[in-house]
Amino acid sequence: MSVVVTALTRLSDGRTLAVGSRATDAGAQPVVLLGDHRGEHWVPVPVRAGAASSARIELFGVAVAGGEAHVAGTVADADAAPGAAVWALPLPSNSGS
């Protein structure tokens, strides 16, 4: 999987949150990864895009507040130009990583 990371932020507990996109046959799809405080172990954070499965979704920015990641990006499909979108993603708790 070829992932392009476009934004990073460090959480108050020392973990790192990375957002970006990966290329697929259907077009760009969102990627959100949560890394441990050493950056050795990464787990995906699901993005429920609310868009058609054929939509191209690219993520460009991230801010963290109140236990959620607020991720900004664009959504486009074959019939429309990209439009701005924001997703609020709950973050998994730190299990002592």
Side-chain angles (χ1 to χ4, degrees), residues 13-94:
D13 63 10
R15 295 179 295 166
T16 300
L17 189 66
V19 303
S21 305
R22 66 182 172 91
T24 71
D25 291 340
Q29 293 300 307
V31 173
V32 178
L33 300 169
L34 183 60
D36 66 13
H37 68 281
R38 289 186 214 110
E40 296 174 352
H41 303 282
W42 294 86
V43 294
V45 176
V47 178
R48 289 173 181 72
S53 61
S54 62
R56 295 180 317 275
I57 301 170
E58 297 185 69
L59 303 179
F60 299 112
V62 62
V64 177
E68 288 185 324
H70 301 271
V71 180
T74 60
V75 177
D77 61 32
D79 300 325
V86 176
W87 296 268
L89 309 174
L91 295 173
S93 64
N94 187 354

